[in-house]
Amino acid sequence: MLLILTHENADFDAVASQLAAHKLYPTGIPLLPRRLNRNVQQFLTLYWSNLPFMQPEDWRKKRVDDLVLVDTQTPLSVRGVARHPAVRVIDHHIGHAPKPGWHYQVEAVGATTTLLVERLQTAGLRLLAEEATLLLLGIYEDTGSLTYDTTTARDAQAAAWLLEQGAQLNVVRRFLNIPLTPEQQTLYEALQTAVEWVRIGGHQIAVTAAATPNDFNDEISSVAHRLRDALQPVALFVLVQIGQDVQLVARSSDDYVDVARIAGALGGGGHSRAAAALVTKQSVMAVRRRVLQLLPDVVQPQDRVAQIMSHGVQTITADTMVADAAILMQRFGYEGYPVLDEAGQRLVGLLTRRVVDRAVNHDMARFPVQRVMKTGSVTVRPSDSIERVQQLMLSEGWGQIPVIPDEATEDGPCHLIGIVTRTDLLNHLFQPVEKTAVAHMRDRLEKKLSPPMWNMVLAASAAAADLDMPLYFVGGLVRDLLLDIPAKDLDMVVEGDAIALVRRLQKQFDGQVHTHRRFGTAKWFTTPDIWQAVLGNGEINDPVLLPDSIDFVTARTEFYREPSALPEVERGSIKLDLHRRDFTINTLAVRLDGAHLGELLDFYGGQRDLAQRLIRVLHSISFVDDPTRMLRAVRLEQRLEFAIEPRTAELLIDALPMLDRVTGDRIRHEIELALRETRPVRAMARLAELGILAQIHPQLAWPSQTAVSFARVSALLIDPTWRAVLRGDSPAFVYFALWMAGLPPEVQAGTMQRLRVRKTTRDDVTAAAELMHTLHQMTGDECPSEVERRLRPYQPRVLLVGRVSIGAGPIADLVEQYYREWRLVKTAVNGDDLRAMGHKPGPEYAIWLDALLAARLDGRVHSREDELALLKETVRET
């Protein structure tokens, strides 16, 4: 026999889940618990005849071998249940430890009913109107009519289907808003009088306790709901003494307080927004003390300005002309500037883009901004709550609020350390946290970085904290860490003075530093001794893998005066620094200084696109600003095995003509980087597919035979003899030459001219093409001297290209023998011998010595004496 069970004090989600489970398992009996919430009891009383439930008093002991538990993971005690029944759990309360042998469907949705409704839909089952209404009550009650933060899109979709099945909203409203009974009203008033407000982590939490008569049978959850609506706390804990036991009902309005952790510690359960527990044989005051002890451990601190502010702030003075302010706003994309007095000592107002635009339209561009700005001095501090920022923006009408230090005094000089914008606030309040979000990166950094590199992070973190400078890893390094790709460098971005930070590290650990004051950058050369000093007493296992320098860059913003031009750069905040980057997956940052070590910043959806494996630009004119981003998009796409997001692909195609305005050097650099990738074939084929190659030169193509040749390169370079040709460099030239040599001569020349290829490279590419033609004319039967004569003119890297192009076979064998043996063969007789024999230097020397070398290679001479004899004969004949 199969029983369908739920928890005591059953709400609509519990009972609705039993009904839905019965529809899926028609042989199962939905046995109600002994205690139901009053609104649930009233609904069942009204619709009992149309529903399949069994009352607990009607149950007769029978052997039960199968259980389905819904909205709970703990079975009630029922007579007849086998000692080890087969159990299937369907629940939305996550975090419980699974039991061996049980089958679970536990997913984080707003209501367990949602999970079962989805299965009803899949099974193609239909519902009666009263069944659909009960299921809708289950979803609505547990999601606050789809308004709680735990609500998911799946809950809304399930509710929509139930409405299609005939669920009655007027009935739902009636049973979700049942008046309190006189006993409940009395309890409500006692609890309201006893409310104690506790402030933890900036949150107002209500805790209240009362006692009821021993015969109190009404539910407490309705009373708790009414109290929450009246008090509007962040969290509410209701404790009611019933005889010798205490009933806890807890509710939370946001994710900062997880009431399920409190209930779980008291032997109960639930989810983060609603939970309950029954504590037996304890007094209400003892349980209350226990709740107050537990609260600090489960309450997350309130969000502060420091979490959303941008460090560093651009200001203007009151005497700045409106026209100049308009230029600044256009150049850097700012929506507003805090305005300081002419001495730069006091905040006197805020200038917005909207006001500037209106002033320009009204011919006021020649006036100082103090004539048009919003006057006043509105500031917040890093420790202020996000709620205060919201209130100030509403009351003062400021869309950007400057941040001053916590220790700043009201009458002291104005020292602005950052700014909070309306966009910052809206993103914080309404941008959903991605399910893939990594809340903190400290553990990942420590795990993924080698001990010396991790210790270097700690050293830089401490130095930055001492100087009160926010310090970050940004871009590709963070992206790769999240993708479990080992870090190769430790370059960092500083909000502040990067040079001062590096000088501090230099003073502590020594080493050379190169600085660029104009751009605020510094390169610290990290010798093995420095790495050892940073590590301390440990041993460095593989020093080759440690970077020999670390770049420290001051956070900056940039402006493109015209499309395709190189950007102009100025100092900025980390947010502006990230906004200038190419793709969302490269806009992630990890803060490193002091107590902030490991905080992940994601302003532009980088984690989302990493999870979805997408390459996405930040804005619609990204490829217009910098067309070389087209080539970088392809390179990243193929390296990471991602896909260019559809809208980004459209923008790329539309911007292709902008490549005509980019210098050949910049395009060549990007192509060289593509050829240095592990799998260059895919990158080159994609460049051709998107039309990028044709935009570089109308006839520039990607021949299929070139892809075949590319595939041979890595296999050949396993051989140390051929690998030595590269002298530690990448095979980028080999790939480039193979590609160019496979094209018609006029396309080769035109492409290399467009790319401004260096003369030495052009000459070697031309030579490679000639060599490939030579090799294809050979039969494989040539004698060694003939092979040597044909291949002697070519440089080793050109010969490497030719060797790759020919593949396997007799000609390849000849090239191998030439490179490994024949090119190293020397004659015993040389020019000195010819002079000693009385022959005057001249062109004949080369002819005679070549003849000797040919004879030596072909085995016709074996010694110096043989060569001298042959030389005499050759001289006599000439």
Side-chain angles (χ1 to χ4, degrees):
M1 176 174 287
L2 170 66
L3 276 186
I4 302 170
L5 304 178
T6 189
H7 55 81
E8 291 289 357
N9 300 308
D11 56 7
F12 273 118
D13 188 30
V15 174
S17 296
Q18 282 188 287
L19 172 63
H22 173 70
K23 301 288 289 187
L24 293 168
Y25 304 99
T27 60
I29 298 175
L31 181 63
L32 294 172
R34 295 192 176 277
R35 293 188 296 275
L36 302 172
N37 285 352
R38 188 162 61 90
N39 55 349
V40 176
Q41 184 63 66
Q42 290 182 359
F43 181 91
L44 294 180
T45 299
L46 186 62
Y47 294 100
W48 184 259
S49 60
N50 295 326
L51 298 171
F53 297 106
M54 175 181 286
Q55 294 284 8
E57 57 267 24
D58 295 332
W59 169 252
R60 296 294 179 265
K61 181 178 179 181
K62 299 177 183 178
R63 180 174 176 81
V64 177
D65 295 306
D66 297 279
L67 293 178
V68 173
L69 305 183
V70 294
D71 204 38
T72 184
Q73 297 181 37
T74 304
L76 298 176
S77 178
V78 178
R79 292 175 300 162
V81 175
R83 186 170 184 179
H84 298 291
V87 180
R88 180 178 298 275
V89 174
I90 305 171
D91 192 16
H92 73 133
H93 301 108
I94 60 175
H96 294 267
K99 295 185 179 180
W102 289 21
H103 297 281
Y104 288 84
Q105 182 188 359
V106 180
E107 300 179 48
V109 292
T112 299
T113 304
T114 295
L115 301 175
L116 289 149
V117 166
E118 290 175 342
R119 295 178 59 179
L120 291 174
Q121 290 178 269
T122 302
L125 298 176
R126 310 296 296 177
L127 301 177
L128 300 174
E130 50 268 35
E131 292 174 332
T133 301
L134 176 55
L135 269 57
L136 189 61
L137 277 163
I139 294 175
Y140 269 32
E141 187 176 58
D142 252 34
T143 64
S145 299
L146 304 179
T147 64
Y148 293 164
D149 288 349
T150 51
T151 305
T152 68
R154 295 167 66 182
D155 299 299
Q157 291 159 1
W161 184 76
L162 292 171
L163 289 171
E164 292 174 354
Q165 295 294 304
Q168 302 296 306
L169 286 173
N170 59 331
V171 177
V172 171
R173 286 193 300 272
R174 172 185 170 189
F175 285 97
L176 289 182
N177 297 282
I178 292 180
L180 299 178
T181 65
E183 292 80 7
Q184 287 177 317
Q185 186 64 39
T186 300
L187 176 60
Y188 172 85
E189 292 170 358
L191 290 168
Q192 189 177 42
T193 302
V195 167
E196 175 185 359
W197 289 95
V198 181
R199 188 172 183 84
I200 301 176
H203 303 292
Q204 290 284 7
I205 299 169
V207 180
T208 184
T212 64
N214 292 344
D215 60 351
F216 182 85
N217 290 320
D218 278 320
E219 60 177 291
I220 299 172
S221 59
S222 296
V223 179
H225 278 292
R226 296 296 173 88
L227 272 175
R228 184 184 62 183
D229 293 342
L231 300 174
Q232 294 292 307
V234 172
L236 170 67
F237 293 87
V238 172
L239 299 164
V240 178
Q241 185 88 53
I242 307 176
Q244 294 184 329
D245 303 331
V246 176
Q247 178 70 52
L248 164 73
V249 177
R251 298 291 184 264
S252 174
S253 61
D254 63 36
D255 293 330
Y256 293 109
V257 185
D258 185 351
V259 295
R261 291 180 61 188
I262 298 282
L266 297 175
H271 53 80
S272 61
R273 297 302 183 88
L278 181 64
V279 185
T280 60
K281 297 181 180 179
Q282 288 199 38
S283 70
V284 71
M285 298 312 294
V287 177
R288 177 181 169 279
R289 285 193 296 271
R290 178 64 175 146
V291 169
L292 292 175
Q293 290 173 354
L294 292 168
L295 273 174
D297 295 331
V298 302
V299 177
Q300 298 179 35
Q302 192 176 50
D303 288 342
R304 302 292 182 183
V305 168
Q307 294 174 245
I308 67 170
M309 65 182 279
S310 293
H311 290 265
V313 56
Q314 301 294 321
T315 62
I316 58 175
T317 56
D319 57 352
T320 303
M321 295 298 112
V322 170
D324 294 332
I327 292 172
L328 289 172
M329 288 179 173
Q330 179 186 18
R331 178 173 297 178
F332 298 111
Y334 293 161
E335 292 298 320
Y337 280 98
V339 182
L340 304 181
D341 62 13
E342 295 180 9
Q345 295 295 309
R346 194 166 52 88
L347 179 67
V348 295
L350 177 73
L351 184 71
T352 65
R353 181 188 287 267
R354 181 179 179 186
V355 167
V356 167
D357 290 343
R358 292 178 64 185
V360 170
N361 289 335
H362 287 82
D363 198 25
M364 297 180 68
R366 65 186 185 280
F367 291 101
V369 297
Q370 62 187 358
R371 293 277 299 271
V372 298
M373 70 184 186
K374 181 183 287 291
T375 60
S377 179
V378 180
T379 60
V380 291
R381 301 170 189 265
S383 61
D384 285 341
S385 68
I386 302 298
E387 183 180 3
R388 172 166 169 74
V389 175
Q390 187 175 4
Q391 291 171 348
L392 284 174
M393 286 186 176
L394 291 173
S395 62
E396 302 295 335
W398 284 41
Q400 299 91 27
I401 299 182
V403 184
I404 60 175
D406 282 322
E407 63 274 12
T409 59
E410 295 294 335
D411 55 352
C414 181
H415 173 47
L416 305 183
I417 61 172
I419 196 163
V420 180
T421 68
R422 183 180 288 110
T423 301
D424 295 330
L425 180 64
L426 292 175
N427 285 341
H428 176 78
L429 294 176
F430 299 113
Q431 194 169 35
V433 177
E434 298 292 334
K435 293 181 179 179
T436 57
V438 178
H440 210 277
M441 289 279 288
R442 182 182 177 117
D443 292 343
R444 183 179 288 255
L445 286 171
E446 186 173 3
K447 180 180 178 182
K448 296 297 179 182
L449 297 177
S450 65
M453 294 176 80
W454 171 241
N455 276 38
M456 180 65 80
V457 171
L458 294 178
S461 172
D466 287 344
L467 295 172
D468 196 23
M469 292 183 189
L471 179 69
Y472 305 89
F473 282 150
V474 300
L477 190 155
V478 181
R479 176 200 70 216
D480 289 348
L481 283 171
L482 289 170
L483 293 173
D484 290 327
I485 298 173
K488 297 179 181 178
D489 59 58
L490 290 181
D491 297 343
M492 305 181 202
V493 173
V494 184
E495 278 188 312
D497 188 344
I499 295 175
L501 175 60
V502 176
R503 292 297 185 196
R504 171 69 68 91
L505 291 168
Q506 181 189 33
K507 183 178 180 181
Q508 184 178 358
F509 297 106
D510 205 1
Q512 289 188 341
V513 173
H514 291 178
T515 63
H516 198 306
R517 179 64 62 181
R518 178 184 173 191
F519 294 109
T521 63
K523 180 185 287 290
W524 182 28
F525 292 91
T526 47
T527 63
D529 288 342
I530 290 176
W531 283 111
Q532 189 62 62
V534 169
L535 181 60
N537 297 325
E539 182 179 350
I540 297 177
N541 295 326
D542 198 345
V544 177
L545 298 179
L546 296 174
D548 55 15
S549 65
I550 301 175
D551 289 330
F552 291 80
V553 180
T554 299
R556 55 193 179 179
T557 185
E558 60 188 26
F559 169 70
Y560 291 85
R561 278 194 179 274
E562 59 185 50
S564 309
L566 292 172
E568 297 181 10
V569 176
E570 287 195 11
R571 291 194 178 191
S573 66
I574 186 63
K575 188 171 183 180
L576 291 171
D577 190 280
L578 296 173
H579 186 263
R580 71 184 178 85
R581 296 175 185 271
D582 44 16
F583 310 111
T584 57
I585 61 172
N586 290 336
T587 63
L588 296 163
V590 175
R591 191 166 174 180
L592 303 174
D593 52 297
H596 299 284
L597 176 57
E599 292 177 3
L600 181 65
L601 280 65
D602 182 6
F603 296 116
Y604 307 108
Q607 289 183 93
R608 171 201 62 204
D609 287 338
L610 275 182
Q612 297 178 5
R613 307 183 72 79
L614 293 176
I615 306 294
R616 186 195 308 269
V617 290
L618 270 71
H619 52 83
S620 59
I621 62 169
S622 180
F623 293 127
V624 175
D625 281 345
D626 185 358
T628 62
R629 288 172 176 164
M630 303 179 197
L631 290 92
R632 291 203 293 278
V634 169
R635 181 157 47 88
L636 269 181
E637 177 192 45
Q638 298 308 312
R639 181 201 305 168
L640 302 177
E641 298 185 356
F642 280 24
I644 296 177
E645 179 262 337
R647 177 56 179 159
T648 297
E650 291 178 6
L651 295 170
L652 187 154
I653 300 299
D654 292 342
L656 280 173
M658 302 304 298
L659 277 171
D660 297 343
R661 305 175 66 168
V662 181
T663 64
D665 302 85
R666 293 178 63 200
I667 297 175
R668 186 189 71 246
H669 176 66
E670 293 295 336
I671 289 178
E672 287 174 354
L673 291 176
L675 294 175
R676 289 173 183 268
E677 291 289 324
T678 305
R679 291 170 292 190
V681 168
R682 297 174 57 173
M684 300 305 295
R686 185 70 162 137
L687 289 172
E689 177 187 354
L690 291 170
I692 295 173
L693 297 185
Q695 194 66 44
I696 295 172
H697 186 285
Q699 294 174 283
L700 184 58
W702 175 245
S704 57
Q705 184 57 39
T706 302
V708 175
S709 298
F710 269 38
R712 299 188 191 117
V713 174
S714 58
L716 187 62
L717 291 179
I718 295 174
D719 186 327
T721 299
W722 288 112
R723 189 167 65 248
V725 172
L726 300 178
R727 298 181 179 179
D729 199 0
S730 81
F733 167 77
V734 179
Y735 288 126
F736 184 72
L738 286 169
W739 178 32
M740 290 292 103
L743 300 172
E746 63 276 9
V747 180
Q748 284 182 39
T751 300
M752 289 194 287
Q753 181 179 3
R754 172 69 180 94
L755 298 179
R756 298 184 63 176
V757 174
R758 291 176 289 273
K759 183 179 185 303
T760 54
T761 303
R762 290 201 310 271
D763 291 345
D764 282 353
V765 168
T766 302
E770 293 173 355
L771 173 59
M772 290 166 66
H773 178 70
T774 296
L775 294 174
H776 282 89
Q777 288 185 323
M778 291 172 61
T779 63
D781 296 327
E782 290 81 359
C783 63
S785 62
E786 177 63 16
V787 174
E788 192 276 339
R789 183 186 67 80
R790 294 193 183 198
L791 301 189
R792 185 196 305 173
Y794 300 109
Q795 297 291 330
R797 71 173 185 170
V798 174
L799 289 168
L800 174 57
V801 174
R803 173 65 185 86
V804 171
S805 70
I806 206 66
I811 299 174
D813 294 340
L814 292 177
V815 175
E816 288 284 344
Q817 282 189 279
Y818 167 75
Y819 193 76
R820 296 173 188 275
E821 302 174 28
W822 298 337
R823 71 186 179 94
L824 304 176
V825 173
K826 305 294 182 184
T827 58
V829 174
N830 56 35
D832 292 338
D833 295 313
L834 292 175
R835 281 192 295 273
M837 294 169 66
H839 298 293
K840 294 181 179 180
E844 293 82 2
Y845 271 34
I847 296 172
W848 295 338
L849 292 175
D850 280 348
L852 294 181
L853 178 62
R856 172 76 74 166
L857 287 167
D858 294 339
R860 291 183 283 114
V861 297
H862 303 284
S863 65
R864 176 180 173 82
E865 289 71 20
D866 291 345
E867 288 185 12
L868 289 171
L870 179 60
L871 177 61
K872 291 179 181 179
E873 182 181 342
T874 303
V875 170
R876 188 169 51 249
E877 291 177 354
T878 57

